[in-house]
């Protein structure tokens, strides 16, 4: 499938806002791939598809997780916001024929992050935070950070997420903590 076909595939599954977001993330992912020397085509694909399952009602997401026999940890079961990433990777593999493991993993980990993130993982993670449609306090600092280094932007992004979750007394996924520790420690070397 080519980019146009992916756009058609997500168009039927996403609301207007999320559709536009996906286009913006894809564009930003290509931009970051160009800047940091990653494969632009892969970045474009990961960007356009990353939220493909996000507008599916929660109950439908639950059913699909069961149908695909995707096991969830206790934190994941209790954090429905994470489902679309787990589901998205499996959906694009099964239904859209995406086989590239780098793309599948970037989609799978775009919300939590993980230890040892690949360049494409980092690009999608950061692009999702700073795409043109984003407007939250601190987004401009993150855009600036992303010009210096992906890791710097990631640390900002993860710190923001962790703070938010802790303030709301919500569980924090161990992969997010692993991504944070790994990136912090690596960037100090
Ligand atoms: Fe997402
Ligand atoms: Fe997103």
């Amino acid at each position: 499938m080519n980019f146009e076909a992916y756009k058609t595939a997500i168009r039927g599954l996403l609301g207007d806002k999320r559709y536009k977001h996906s286009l913006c993330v894809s564009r930003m992912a290509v931009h970051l791939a160009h800047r940091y020397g990653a494969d632009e085509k892969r970045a474009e694909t990961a960007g356009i598809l990353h939220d493909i399952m996000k507008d599916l009602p929660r109950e439908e997401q639950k059913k699909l997780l069961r149908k695909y026999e995707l096991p969830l940890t206790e934190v994941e079961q209790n954090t429905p916001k994470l489902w679309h990433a787990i589901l998205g990777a499996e959906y694009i593999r099964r239904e859209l024929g995406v086989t590239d493991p780098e793309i599948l993993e970037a989609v799978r980990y775009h919300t939590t992050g993980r230890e040892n993130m690949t360049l494409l993982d980092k690009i999608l993670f950061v692009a999702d935070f700073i795409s043109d449609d984003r407007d939250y306090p601190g987004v401009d600092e993150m855009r600036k950070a992303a010009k210096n280094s992906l890791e710097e932007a990631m640390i900002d992004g993860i710190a923001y997420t962790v703070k938010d979750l802790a303030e709301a007394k919500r569980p924090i996924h161990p992969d997010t903590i692993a991504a944070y520790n790994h990136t912090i420690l690596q960037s100090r070397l």
Side-chain angles (χ1 to χ4, degrees):
M1 279 173 97
N2 61 19
F3 187 64
E4 285 308 310
Y6 291 141
K7 271 199 329 199
T8 308
I10 64 163
R11 183 64 282 207
L13 289 163
L14 299 178
D16 289 349
K17 197 171 161 232
R18 191 88 55 200
Y19 178 69
K20 193 178 156 234
H21 167 70
S22 302
L23 291 173
C24 290
V25 170
S26 183
R27 204 176 308 130
M28 182 56 72
V30 171
H31 172 79
L32 293 172
H34 183 77
R35 184 179 186 91
Y36 291 105
D39 186 297
E40 293 177 36
K41 204 74 210 159
R42 279 186 172 130
E44 182 185 56
T45 303
I48 198 70
L49 296 177
H50 80 288
D51 272 344
I52 189 164
M53 292 282 98
K54 192 147 183 184
D55 282 352
L56 208 67
R58 292 267 159 89
E59 276 311 305
E60 297 297 315
Q61 292 190 35
K62 221 180 209 171
K63 269 189 215 157
L64 216 46
L65 282 165
R66 238 177 277 137
K67 183 182 161 201
Y68 289 165
E69 296 178 334
L70 294 167
L72 298 185
T73 65
E74 197 181 357
V75 171
E76 288 160 358
Q77 281 169 26
N78 287 285
T79 317
K81 271 189 175 176
L82 300 179
W83 299 351
H84 76 284
I86 299 166
L87 206 48
E90 187 67 3
Y91 183 89
I92 64 173
R93 188 178 73 81
R94 291 192 188 220
E95 312 292 339
L96 306 184
V98 177
T99 53
D100 187 328
E102 272 203 60
I103 295 174
L104 296 174
E105 290 184 358
V107 171
R108 168 68 179 77
Y109 294 101
H110 84 265
T111 315
T112 54
R114 60 169 165 166
E115 196 175 10
N116 282 318
M117 288 168 81
T118 66
L119 181 56
L120 190 65
D121 287 355
K122 293 178 184 178
I123 283 171
L124 182 58
F125 188 87
V126 172
D128 199 16
F129 269 99
I130 63 167
S131 56
D132 289 348
D133 59 307
R134 292 291 199 199
D135 182 22
Y136 55 88
V139 69
D140 285 329
E141 284 77 67
M142 241 187 108
R143 289 189 175 119
K144 251 181 246 158
K147 287 194 172 121
N148 288 330
S149 95
L150 280 176
E151 288 74 19
E152 198 181 312
M154 275 182 47
I155 290 166
D156 284 356
I158 302 172
Y160 176 90
T161 305
V162 167
K163 213 163 77 182
D164 228 40
L165 289 169
E167 266 167 17
K169 309 272 193 295
R170 290 187 182 283
I172 298 170
H173 198 289
D175 286 343
T176 304
I177 305 293
Y180 179 78
N181 285 339
H182 189 81
T183 314
I184 286 271
L185 296 171
Q186 287 290 99
S187 65
R188 281 190 188 156
L189 292 177

